[in-house]
């Protein structure tokens, strides 16, 4: 609206996702579940996309019953283009439109820490293929549809470890680690997101990022203690602390925001 008078604006309405159709990959994961619940609470229809083993259809049915609104699940591998195209076609057949895309998947094999000297090409390729190629394909297949429609919001998920390097002391005395392939794939997601933000800005498709950090998931005690020592806020975060950023970036509240990487990292990178 062309006005300088803020009283003409219903600011709460700007955050609504009422009847918007939002596709979320990695929907059944730790952060994905919080993304789905938060967007659903703000009125969205959620398309839960995840690998078959995660049973996204069952999760979508649960969300649908909980919110009394149509939600669908779609099993796929985001790294396979035909499956991503099938996802888009299914959503358009069921809802007739797609308003938002959230690329929240990740490959887990990076958690099996290999020292950099020993990283196998296979492990490298798997991480990059799923994290980066999967995000590329979702953006290409669904983002192109949005660009044709002249509207849409895409949110990709890089990592603190594409912003700064991992502090190796964080992992002392734990079985955890952060391999280079994870950082590299996330750096690619960051660069791709900025590229697309510029590429599609004039088509009214906004492309932003959310960078979570240290989201609590019953971590080893030693890891939690180490994390507290290196974090300005001295604690891990929770998935429900990440999800509100998604509501903002999906909604009209962020209508003039594109190419942004919203850091939800407790100040990890400020010192
Ligand atoms: N948890 C954290 O502390 C943290 C920190 C920074 C960034 N991130 C990022 O946030 C996102 C979500 O993280 P999370 O902790 O919820 O991860 P998670 O492992 O709990 O969930 C990831 C989901 O992706 C799905 N997935 C894996 N391979 C897939 C494929 N080929 N196709 C479709 N789906 C696939 C998994 O089944 C799973 O449900 C990831 O991109 C992750 O890298 C997480």
């Amino acid at each position: 609206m062309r006005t300088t008078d803020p009283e003409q604006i219903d600011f709460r309405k700007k955050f609504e996702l009422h009847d918007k159709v939002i596709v979320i990959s990695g929907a059944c994961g730790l952060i994905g579940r919080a993304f789905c619940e938060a967007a659903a609470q703000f009125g969205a229809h959620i398309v839960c996309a995840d690998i078959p083993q995660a049973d996204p259809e069952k999760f979508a049915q649960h969300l649908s019953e909980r919110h009394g609104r149509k939600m669908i699940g779609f099993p796929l591998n985001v790294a396979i283009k035909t499956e991503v195209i099938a996802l888009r076609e299914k959503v358009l057949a069921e809802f007739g439109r797609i308003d938002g895309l959230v690329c929240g998947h990740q490959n887990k094999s990076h958690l099996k820490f290999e020292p950099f000297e020993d990283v196998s090409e296979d492990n490298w390729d798997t991480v990059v293929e799923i994290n980066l190629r999967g995000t590329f394909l979702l953006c290409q297949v669904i983002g192109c549809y949005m660009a044709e429609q002249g509207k849409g919001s895409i949110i990709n998920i890089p990592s603190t470890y594409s912003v700064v390097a991992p502090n190796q002391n964080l992992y002392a005395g734990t079985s955890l680690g952060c391999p280079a392939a994870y950082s590299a794939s996330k750096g690619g997601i960051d660069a791709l997101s900025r590229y697309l933000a510029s590429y599609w800005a004039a088509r009214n498709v906004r492309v932003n990022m959310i960078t979570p950090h240290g989201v609590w998931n019953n971590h080893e005690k030693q890891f939690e203690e180490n994390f507290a020592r290196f974090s300005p806020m001295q604690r891990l975060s929770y998935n429900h602390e990440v999800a509100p950023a998604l509501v903002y970036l999906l909604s009209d509240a962020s209508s003039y925001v594109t190419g942004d990487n919203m850091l939800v990292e407790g100040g990890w990178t400020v010192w």
Side-chain angles (χ1 to χ4, degrees):
M1 184 190 286
R2 203 167 164 85
T3 179
T4 57
D5 178 7
E7 292 181 15
Q8 291 186 25
I9 306 297
D10 183 341
F11 284 97
R12 270 195 294 200
K13 211 169 162 201
K14 278 179 177 274
F15 287 87
E16 270 181 20
L17 298 175
H18 188 65
D19 274 346
K20 292 199 182 208
V21 178
I22 312 294
V23 176
I24 302 183
S25 70
C28 303
L30 175 68
I31 298 172
R33 288 196 311 274
F35 280 166
C36 293
E37 176 63 22
Q41 285 190 18
F42 278 78
H45 297 280
I46 312 295
V47 177
C48 305
D50 209 306
I51 53 174
Q53 299 92 303
D55 205 347
E57 284 157 318
K58 187 172 169 202
F59 180 52
Q61 191 185 343
H62 168 75
L63 268 185
S64 180
E65 285 164 9
R66 195 172 141 67
H67 294 279
R69 199 176 312 124
K70 183 173 172 181
M71 318 275 187
I72 62 170
F74 194 88
L76 88 167
N77 178 351
V78 291
I80 299 177
K81 187 166 184 175
T82 51
E83 297 190 12
V84 177
I85 291 172
L87 165 68
R88 181 192 61 197
E89 295 312 303
K90 172 80 173 168
V91 181
L92 292 178
E94 292 281 343
F95 293 103
R97 66 182 191 286
I98 303 172
D99 302 293
L101 167 66
V102 183
C103 298
H105 60 275
Q106 72 161 344
N107 174 262
K108 275 247 174 189
S109 71
H110 73 274
L111 292 177
K112 282 189 220 134
F113 181 61
E114 290 173 303
F116 182 70
E117 292 80 354
D118 301 334
V119 171
S120 69
E121 287 118 296
D122 278 355
N123 209 1
W124 179 277
D125 288 348
T126 307
V127 172
V128 174
E129 179 178 299
I130 294 175
N131 290 358
L132 182 53
R133 180 151 67 128
T135 299
F136 152 63
L137 289 174
L138 284 163
C139 288
Q140 185 186 52
V141 169
I142 294 179
C144 283
Y145 159 82
M146 291 174 167
E148 276 166 24
Q149 300 299 307
K151 62 180 164 67
S153 175
I154 297 176
I155 290 108
N156 293 329
I157 314 294
S159 165
T160 314
Y161 298 147
S162 52
V163 180
V164 293
N167 177 347
Q168 299 299 335
N169 296 324
L170 175 62
Y171 305 111
T174 79
S175 64
L176 300 169
C178 179
Y182 181 76
S183 294
S185 68
K186 293 296 185 169
I189 290 171
D190 188 323
L192 174 69
S193 304
R194 288 173 208 277
Y195 181 98
L196 292 176
S198 152
Y199 189 71
W200 279 328
R203 311 282 293 274
N204 200 28
V205 178
R206 298 184 294 110
V207 184
N208 289 292
M209 295 167 267
I210 296 174
T211 288
H213 188 50
V215 182
W216 180 76
N217 195 14
N218 292 301
H219 287 84
E220 297 166 28
K221 190 165 168 284
Q222 185 65 56
F223 178 80
E224 201 161 347
E225 284 175 16
N226 292 355
F227 193 97
R229 270 196 290 131
F230 297 124
S231 163
M233 293 189 73
Q234 302 183 355
R235 66 170 177 87
L236 292 162
S237 60
Y238 297 97
N239 57 1
H240 59 79
E241 294 182 298
V242 183
L246 185 81
V247 174
Y248 169 68
L249 290 173
L250 281 174
S251 71
D252 292 344
S254 59
S255 54
Y256 199 56
V257 179
T258 197
D260 191 42
N261 184 3
M262 186 169 282
L263 305 179
V264 187
E265 39 74 292
W268 186 270
T269 63
V270 299
W271 61 8

